[in-house]
Amino acid sequence: MQVRAKSDSETPKSPRGRPRDPNLVQQRKEQILKVTTHHFARFGYQDTDLQVIADELEIGKGTIYRYFPNKEALFRAALDRGLASLRDLIDQKIPPGSDPLAGFASAIEAYLRFFREQPELVELFLIERAVFPGRTKPAYFIQREQDSGRWNEVFRHLVRQGRVRPGNTDGVLNAIGDLLYGTMFANHLAGRNESPHEQARDILDLVFHGILGPDAREEFPEAHKDARRKTGKKR
Amino acid sequence: MQVRAKSDSETPKSPRGRPRDPNLVQQRKEQILKVTTHHFARFGYQDTDLQVIADELEIGKGTIYRYFPNKEALFRAALDRGLASLRDLIDQKIPPGSDPLAGFASAIEAYLRFFREQPELVELFLIERAVFPGRTKPAYFIQREQDSGRWNEVFRHLVRQGRVRPGNTDGVLNAIGDLLYGTMFANHLAGRNESPHEQARDILDLVFHGILGPDAREEFPEAHKDARRKTGKKR
Amino acid sequence: MQVRAKSDSETPKSPRGRPRDPNLVQQRKEQILKVTTHHFARFGYQDTDLQVIADELEIGKGTIYRYFPNKEALFRAALDRGLASLRDLIDQKIPPGSDPLAGFASAIEAYLRFFREQPELVELFLIERAVFPGRTKPAYFIQREQDSGRWNEVFRHLVRQGRVRPGNTDGVLNAIGDLLYGTMFANHLAGRNESPHEQARDILDLVFHGILGPDAREEFPEAHKDARRKTGKKR
Amino acid sequence: MQVRAKSDSETPKSPRGRPRDPNLVQQRKEQILKVTTHHFARFGYQDTDLQVIADELEIGKGTIYRYFPNKEALFRAALDRGLASLRDLIDQKIPPGSDPLAGFASAIEAYLRFFREQPELVELFLIERAVFPGRTKPAYFIQREQDSGRWNEVFRHLVRQGRVRPGNTDGVLNAIGDLLYGTMFANHLAGRNESPHEQARDILDLVFHGILGPDAREEFPEAHKDARRKTGKKR
DNA sequence: CATGAATGAGTATTCATTCAT
DNA sequence: TATGAATGAATACTCATTCAT
C-alpha cells in the first residue's frame, strides 16, 4: 500500500491548472459539518450513512472523503465545531470588567440556553463516548479543564472579597460544573422544556444560598475552616 | 437421531409439559447479563459480538437467543439489571425512621459510591441514548421520576419543619438530581478519582449552604417568598 | 475489536446441538476451492467476486468466509491444492526401483501433461506473484526446493554410474527445472498445442544430447573436469 | 460562475495550429513510464495509484491522462518500453559477421544479464497476464515469435554446416527459448543470485552437450534421422 | 497545455439472526 | 433445550476517470 507523498510545505510549483481556493475549502467543510451534525444527532453514528449526507448536500460521496479522511474524523470535526461555538459563547458572555458574580449568573443562563438551542451537540457528546469507548477523555472535559483555571481565579478573588465563603474551591467548582453538565443532559434526555431563565434562577438560588434554613445551617455547619484537604495538602 | 448413553450430569430427559425450573432460567439470564454488561461497556454496542459473549460463557450463540429475543433486548435487560441494583441501593440507604436530612446526605454518598463501583452501568446509560437516539425517555429518567415523588414529600416535610428554606421544590430537587447525575458522568468520563466520601462532603456543603458569604447573601437575596410558580398553583 | 476466544484444545463440552462433521468440512472446502480455482484463473484475482462463486455453489457468501478467513487465504488454499496434486503426480510417476533415466524421462512428460490438463494452475502461479508482489517466495519454488534434494541424489548416482557426464549438478538441474518451468508457462501463454509426448521427446533430445554435432563438440568442449566452480571455490 | 483575473504565469495563449515539440512529448512519456514501471513492479497493478505516480513526478494526475488514455494503456506502454529495450539489447549482441554459435552463446548471457538488471520488467510480464487474463497473447511471445525466424535461419545454417545436429529445429529452438524464459522467471522469483556468466556457462554446457555420458548416449540414441515430424511432415 | 476538484461505481467483510439437528 | 452452520443485508472507503478553470 503506497502512501501519498503529501509534500507538506506545499511547493507552489507552477500555479497552472485549477487553483485551489483555501477559503472555499473552509466553506465546504462547514457545509458538510452542518449537515453531518444533524445526521449524527438524529440517527446515531452507525446509522448515519455518508451517502445520505452526500445526497443531501448534492455532492458525491467521494467529495466528503476529500475533506475528511474517514467517518470518525468527520464525527470529531463536527464535535469540535460544536465545542468551538460553545467556547465562543462563554467567552462573549463574560465581558471583562463586569461583576464576577453577575457574570457567573449570566454565564449559567447562557450555557443552558445554548444547549437548548443546540440539542444536536448534546447527542454528539453521548456518541463520542458510546461509540469510541475508553479512547480518550471526552472533548467536552478537555475544554472544560482548559477553562477551569479562569473560573478558579474568579472564585478565589471572590473569596478574598468575602463575597463567597471560603472552602474547597476546586471541589465546589467541580460540583457546579457537574450540576450544569448534568442539567444539560437531563434537559435534553428527559425532554424538559422549562425556560432557561427560570431554570437558571432555580440553580442560582441553590448554588448561592443552599437549601437549608437558618436553624438547620447550624445543625449542619459549613465545612470551611479546615476545608483545604484538596488544595492545601496542609498537615 | 441417536440417543447417546452418556448420561451422568445430564438433565434426565425433560418431562414434556413440565415447566423448567424458572429459577434456573433466572440464573442463566443473570450469567449472560453479567458478561454482556461487561462487553457492551468495554467495546460499545456495535463492537460487541454476541459470538464472543457466547464463547466466554462457553455456550452456543443460539442459546443467548433462547433467553433474549435480540441484541437490543439483551442490551436493555443489562441496563434494567443495573438500574434495579441502583434502586435496591437507594431503597436500603434510607431506612424508615431515620432523620430525613441525614438520610439525604447518606443517599448522596451512596449514589456516588455506587457508580464508582459500577462504571459499566454509566457506559450503558450513554449507549442507550447514543445507539437508539430519540426512541424513548432513557430508563434512568423513568426510574428517577418514579422516585421523585418520595423525595418531594421528604422535602415538603422539611420545609414545613423550617429546616429547609421554602422555594421551588421541584426545581431545586431537579437541580440536585442533575448535580448528582452530572457528577456521575463527569467522574467516569473525566477519570476523576476523588473519594466518594469527600466528594459527597463538597456537594453537601454546596447544596446545604450555597457558596455565598453573609454579605453577598443580601446582595443576591433568596427567591423564596413567592417562589411557588411551579409547584404552588395553590391558593 | 474483540478476538474470538477460540478455545484451541476444543473442550468438547456437551456435544448437544448440531454436531460438526469434520469430514463435511473437508468436502465443503474442496467444493469451494474447485469453483474458486476456476474463477481466479478465468477472471484474475480482482475480478473474481466471491459473491459469484457463492452463487454458483448455491451457498451464501458468508459461508465461504466460514471456511476461509479472507479472499487471499482462499486464493492461497486454491494454489496449495493445485501444488499438492502436482506433487502427488510426480511422486507416483517415479516408481521406486525403476531406471532413473527412464523415470526422469517419464517425469518430464508427466509434468508437461499435467499442466496441459491443469491450465488453471498456471494462471494461479502468475496471480500469486502479480497480485502479492514481493511477499514471499512463490509456493511453486518452495515445493521445487523441497523436491530438489531427491533429484540431486538421482543425478549424482547417475554420474557415478558414468551414465551422466560429471559437471555442475546443481546448475544443470536448475537449468532443466527452469526449462520445464518455462515450457509450462510458454505452452499456456503462447497457446501452443503440441502434444506433451512429442514435446517431451524434443526436450529430452536436447537435454540428453545437446545440440552440437561431433565436430562442434570439440570446438566448444564440455566443462567437466574442473566443473567445481560453484562448490569448490577453487582458483 | 466568475472568472478569476489572476493571470501572471499563464502560458501566453498557445498559438493555435503550431504543433508542440514532439520530442518533448516523448521525453515526458519516458519520464512517466519510468516511474510507472517502478510502481507497477513494486506494488502490482491494482495497488498502483496514479495519484502517487503523479505526486512523485510532481505533475498533476490529469497530466498523465494527457499522455496515456487510461491505466491499462499506461501499463502496456511501460511493458512495451521494456520489451523494446530487450530487443535493442539482443540486436546489438549479435553483430553481423560474428560466428553464429559464439553469438548464440553471447546472446544467452546477455539475456540473463539483462533481466538481472531489469527485474521490474519481469514483474510486468507476470502482471500482464495475471491482471488481463486471456485477453491477448503476451507481448513477450509476440516479440519472440517475430524474432524466431532469424534464429531459425541461423540454426538451419549451422545444421547445414554440420556444427549442429539435425533434428526438430522448431522444437529445439522452442525448448531453448523456454529454458531462457523459465530461467528468467526462476532467477527473479526464487531470488537466485548466481552470476549471469556462470549461469550462462551451465546452460550452454547443457544445451551444447546434453547431460549424457558416451555410453548412455547410445542407450538413449538421438532422434535425428526422421526428426522432421514438425517441419517436414514428410515420410 | 496542465491541473486537481469532483465523482460514484465497485467490493471485501462482518455479524445478527434463523433453524435443522 | 442447546447448538453452531448457514445466511445475506448492510457499509465504509478507494481510485480511475472526467472536465471546469
Side-chain angles (χ1 to χ4, degrees):
Chain A
M1 216 109 329
Q2 311 171 59
V3 178
R4 195 77 58 78
K6 186 134 179 197
S7 59
D8 51 325
S9 64
E10 290 301 315
T11 29
K13 292 190 287 184
S14 55
R16 277 174 296 183
R18 189 175 186 176
R20 60 168 101 193
D21 182 341
N23 208 11
L24 212 63
V25 168
Q26 281 315 312
Q27 279 181 33
R28 209 60 123 121
K29 284 193 174 187
E30 183 64 19
Q31 286 170 10
I32 293 172
L33 289 179
K34 200 174 160 200
V35 174
T36 284
T37 298
H38 181 66
H39 278 252
F40 279 135
R42 173 143 187 209
F43 302 108
Y45 186 81
Q46 302 289 346
D47 289 346
T48 288
D49 186 344
L50 295 207
Q51 182 61 65
V52 175
I53 291 176
D55 291 347
E56 190 162 312
L57 285 163
E58 295 187 309
I59 63 176
K61 180 160 50 173
T63 304
I64 296 178
Y65 279 89
R66 281 193 67 72
Y67 292 95
F68 302 94
N70 52 46
K71 194 178 180 181
E72 180 175 345
L74 182 61
F75 171 77
R76 293 205 181 277
L79 182 59
D80 288 343
R81 177 173 167 271
L83 278 170
S85 75
L86 171 62
R87 163 162 294 172
D88 289 348
L89 173 97
I90 299 294
D91 283 351
Q92 80 182 38
K93 271 297 163 184
I94 310 179
S98 67
D99 174 68
L101 274 181
F104 177 70
S106 145
I108 286 179
E109 185 174 334
Y111 180 97
L112 295 176
R113 192 180 308 278
F114 175 82
F115 284 107
R116 272 306 158 80
E117 288 161 2
Q118 310 278 344
E120 299 183 334
L121 183 54
V122 182
E123 298 283 355
L124 297 196
F125 290 162
L126 295 163
I127 289 173
E128 183 191 11
R129 178 65 180 207
V131 176
F132 312 110
R135 292 256 284 267
T136 56
K137 182 176 291 195
Y140 177 89
F141 284 101
I142 292 174
Q143 180 156 314
R144 180 167 148 183
E145 281 163 19
Q146 289 169 355
D147 289 344
S148 71
R150 174 166 41 161
W151 289 110
N152 213 303
E153 281 178 33
V154 171
F155 251 61
R156 292 184 191 287
H157 181 67
L158 287 166
V159 169
R160 264 178 264 121
Q161 285 184 325
R163 299 172 81 196
V164 164
R165 301 189 288 119
N168 178 0
T169 307
D170 286 335
V172 165
L173 276 175
N174 269 343
I176 295 172
D178 295 350
L179 165 51
L180 292 174
Y181 183 65
T183 302
M184 163 195 75
F185 275 137
N187 280 346
H188 183 65
L189 298 179
R192 293 186 196 144
N193 44 25
E194 208 178 348
S195 83
H197 181 69
E198 296 195 344
Q199 203 170 27
R201 186 166 55 183
D202 291 342
I203 288 172
L204 280 169
D205 194 41
L206 172 66
V207 167
F208 278 173
H209 302 285
I211 61 172
L212 296 187
D215 295 346
R217 293 190 71 156
E218 293 177 10
E219 188 185 350
F220 293 85
E222 304 175 8
H224 50 149
K225 286 274 161 51
D226 51 343
R228 258 150 286 178
R229 294 142 283 170
K230 198 74 187 210
T231 326
K233 228 78 178 170
K234 88 144 182 219
R235 175 78 31 103
Chain B
M1 211 157 301
Q2 312 155 50
V3 179
R4 273 169 298 90
K6 186 203 260 241
S7 62
D8 126 87
S9 74
E10 305 223 346
T11 32
K13 217 65 177 130
S14 63
R16 280 175 300 148
R18 175 185 177 263
R20 286 319 233 127
D21 185 343
N23 212 9
L24 217 61
V25 169
Q26 281 315 312
Q27 279 181 33
R28 200 70 114 126
K29 284 193 173 185
E30 181 66 18
Q31 287 170 7
I32 293 173
L33 290 178
K34 200 174 161 199
V35 173
T36 284
T37 297
H38 181 67
H39 278 253
F40 279 134
R42 174 144 186 207
F43 301 107
Y45 186 81
Q46 302 289 347
D47 287 348
T48 288
D49 184 342
L50 295 202
Q51 182 63 63
V52 175
I53 291 176
D55 289 348
E56 191 162 311
L57 286 162
E58 296 188 313
I59 63 176
K61 182 155 60 165
T63 304
I64 295 177
Y65 278 84
R66 294 200 62 74
Y67 293 93
F68 302 96
N70 54 45
K71 194 180 183 180
E72 180 175 345
L74 183 61
F75 171 78
R76 294 206 180 277
L79 182 60
D80 288 343
R81 175 173 168 271
L83 278 171
S85 76
L86 172 61
R87 163 161 294 171
D88 289 348
L89 174 97
I90 299 293
D91 283 351
Q92 80 182 37
K93 271 297 165 183
I94 310 179
S98 67
D99 175 67
L101 273 182
F104 177 69
S106 143
I108 285 178
E109 184 173 335
Y111 180 97
L112 296 176
R113 194 179 307 278
F114 175 83
F115 284 107
R116 274 304 160 83
E117 289 162 1
Q118 311 278 343
E120 298 183 334
L121 182 54
V122 183
E123 299 282 356
L124 298 196
F125 289 163
L126 294 163
I127 290 173
E128 183 191 11
R129 178 65 181 206
V131 177
F132 311 109
R135 293 257 283 266
T136 57
K137 181 176 293 196
Y140 178 90
F141 285 101
I142 292 175
Q143 180 158 314
R144 180 167 148 183
E145 280 163 19
Q146 289 167 357
D147 289 345
S148 72
R150 175 165 39 161
W151 289 109
N152 214 303
E153 281 179 32
V154 170
F155 253 60
R156 292 185 190 287
H157 181 66
L158 287 166
V159 170
R160 263 177 265 118
Q161 285 185 324
R163 300 172 80 195
V164 164
R165 300 188 289 118
N168 178 358
T169 306
D170 285 336
V172 165
L173 276 175
N174 268 343
I176 294 172
D178 294 350
L179 165 51
L180 292 175
Y181 183 65
T183 302
M184 163 195 75
F185 275 138
N187 280 346
H188 183 65
L189 298 179
R192 293 188 196 143
N193 44 24
E194 208 178 348
S195 83
H197 180 69
E198 296 194 345
Q199 204 170 28
R201 188 164 52 183
D202 289 343
I203 288 173
L204 280 169
D205 194 42
L206 173 67
V207 168
F208 279 175
H209 302 285
I211 60 171
L212 296 186
D215 296 347
R217 293 192 70 158
E218 293 178 8
E219 189 185 348
F220 293 86
E222 304 175 10
H224 48 154
K225 284 277 160 48
D226 51 344
R228 261 150 278 180
R229 306 140 273 174
K230 197 82 186 204
T231 326
K233 235 78 177 168
K234 88 159 174 206
R235 152 116 2 193
Chain C
M1 217 110 330
Q2 312 171 57
V3 177
R4 195 77 59 76
K6 185 129 176 202
S7 58
D8 53 323
S9 63
E10 289 301 315
T11 28
K13 293 190 289 181
S14 55
R16 278 172 296 182
R18 192 176 185 176
R20 60 168 101 193
D21 183 341
N23 208 11
L24 211 64
V25 168
Q26 281 315 311
Q27 281 181 34
R28 206 63 122 126
K29 285 194 174 186
E30 184 64 20
Q31 287 171 10
I32 293 173
L33 289 179
K34 201 174 159 199
V35 174
T36 283
T37 297
H38 180 67
H39 278 252
F40 279 134
R42 173 142 187 210
F43 303 108
Y45 186 81
Q46 302 290 345
D47 289 346
T48 288
D49 185 343
L50 296 207
Q51 181 61 65
V52 175
I53 292 178
D55 290 348
E56 191 163 313
L57 285 163
E58 295 187 310
I59 62 176
K61 182 158 48 170
T63 305
I64 296 178
Y65 279 89
R66 282 193 68 71
Y67 293 94
F68 303 95
N70 52 47
K71 195 178 181 181
E72 180 175 346
L74 182 62
F75 171 77
R76 295 206 179 276
L79 183 59
D80 288 343
R81 175 172 168 271
L83 278 170
S85 75
L86 171 61
R87 163 161 291 172
D88 289 349
L89 174 96
I90 299 294
D91 283 350
Q92 81 182 38
K93 271 297 164 185
I94 311 178
S98 67
D99 174 68
L101 274 181
F104 177 70
S106 143
I108 285 178
E109 184 174 335
Y111 180 96
L112 295 176
R113 192 179 308 280
F114 175 82
F115 283 108
R116 272 307 157 79
E117 290 162 359
Q118 310 278 344
E120 299 182 333
L121 183 54
V122 183
E123 298 282 356
L124 297 197
F125 290 162
L126 294 163
I127 289 172
E128 183 191 12
R129 180 63 181 206
V131 177
F132 311 109
R135 292 258 284 267
T136 56
K137 181 176 292 196
Y140 177 89
F141 285 100
I142 290 174
Q143 180 157 314
R144 181 167 148 183
E145 280 163 19
Q146 289 169 356
D147 289 344
S148 72
R150 176 164 42 160
W151 289 110
N152 213 304
E153 281 179 32
V154 170
F155 251 61
R156 295 187 188 284
H157 181 66
L158 288 166
V159 170
R160 265 178 263 119
Q161 286 184 326
R163 300 172 79 194
V164 163
R165 302 189 288 118
N168 178 1
T169 307
D170 285 337
V172 165
L173 277 175
N174 269 342
I176 295 172
D178 294 350
L179 164 50
L180 292 175
Y181 183 64
T183 303
M184 164 195 74
F185 275 137
N187 280 346
H188 182 66
L189 299 180
R192 294 187 195 143
N193 45 25
E194 207 177 348
S195 83
H197 181 70
E198 297 194 343
Q199 203 170 27
R201 189 165 53 184
D202 290 344
I203 287 173
L204 280 169
D205 195 41
L206 173 67
V207 167
F208 278 173
H209 304 284
I211 62 172
L212 296 186
D215 295 345
R217 294 191 69 157
E218 293 176 11
E219 188 185 349
F220 293 86
E222 305 174 8
H224 47 151
K225 287 274 162 49
D226 53 343
R228 262 149 286 178
R229 298 141 281 171
K230 195 75 188 219
T231 327
K233 231 77 180 169
K234 83 136 184 232
R235 165 83 20 139
Chain D
M1 218 154 298
Q2 313 154 53
V3 178
R4 273 170 297 94
K6 188 201 257 234
S7 62
D8 134 84
S9 73
E10 304 228 345
T11 33
K13 219 60 175 137
S14 63
R16 280 173 299 149
R18 175 187 176 264
R20 286 316 234 136
D21 185 345
N23 212 10
L24 218 59
V25 168
Q26 281 315 311
Q27 279 182 33
R28 200 71 114 129
K29 283 194 175 186
E30 182 65 18
Q31 287 171 8
I32 293 173
L33 290 178
K34 199 174 161 201
V35 173
T36 284
T37 297
H38 180 66
H39 279 252
F40 279 135
R42 173 143 188 209
F43 303 108
Y45 186 81
Q46 302 289 345
D47 288 346
T48 288
D49 184 340
L50 296 202
Q51 181 63 64
V52 175
I53 291 176
D55 289 347
E56 192 163 311
L57 286 162
E58 295 188 313
I59 63 176
K61 181 155 60 165
T63 305
I64 296 178
Y65 279 85
R66 295 201 63 73
Y67 293 92
F68 303 94
N70 54 43
K71 192 179 183 181
E72 180 174 346
L74 182 62
F75 171 77
R76 295 207 179 276
L79 182 59
D80 289 343
R81 175 174 168 270
L83 279 170
S85 77
L86 171 62
R87 163 161 293 170
D88 289 349
L89 175 97
I90 299 294
D91 283 350
Q92 80 181 39
K93 270 298 162 183
I94 311 177
S98 67
D99 173 68
L101 273 181
F104 177 70
S106 144
I108 285 179
E109 185 174 334
Y111 180 96
L112 296 176
R113 194 179 307 279
F114 175 82
F115 283 107
R116 272 308 158 80
E117 289 162 359
Q118 310 280 341
E120 297 183 335
L121 184 53
V122 183
E123 299 283 355
L124 297 196
F125 290 163
L126 294 163
I127 289 173
E128 183 191 11
R129 178 64 180 205
V131 176
F132 311 110
R135 293 257 283 266
T136 58
K137 181 175 294 196
Y140 178 90
F141 285 100
I142 292 174
Q143 181 158 314
R144 180 166 149 183
E145 280 162 21
Q146 290 168 356
D147 289 345
S148 72
R150 171 164 45 158
W151 289 110
N152 213 305
E153 281 178 32
V154 170
F155 252 60
R156 293 187 189 286
H157 180 66
L158 287 166
V159 170
R160 266 178 262 120
Q161 285 184 324
R163 299 172 81 196
V164 164
R165 302 188 287 119
N168 177 2
T169 307
D170 285 337
V172 165
L173 276 174
N174 268 342
I176 295 171
D178 294 349
L179 166 49
L180 292 175
Y181 183 65
T183 302
M184 163 196 74
F185 274 138
N187 280 346
H188 182 66
L189 299 180
R192 292 186 197 145
N193 45 24
E194 210 178 346
S195 84
H197 181 69
E198 297 195 344
Q199 203 170 27
R201 187 165 54 183
D202 290 343
I203 287 172
L204 280 169
D205 194 42
L206 173 67
V207 167
F208 279 174
H209 303 286
I211 62 171
L212 295 187
D215 297 345
R217 293 192 69 156
E218 293 177 9
E219 189 185 347
F220 293 86
E222 304 174 8
H224 48 151
K225 287 274 162 49
D226 51 346
R228 264 150 279 178
R229 298 141 279 172
K230 196 76 189 210
T231 325
K233 231 71 181 169
K234 89 152 175 208
R235 170 79 31 109

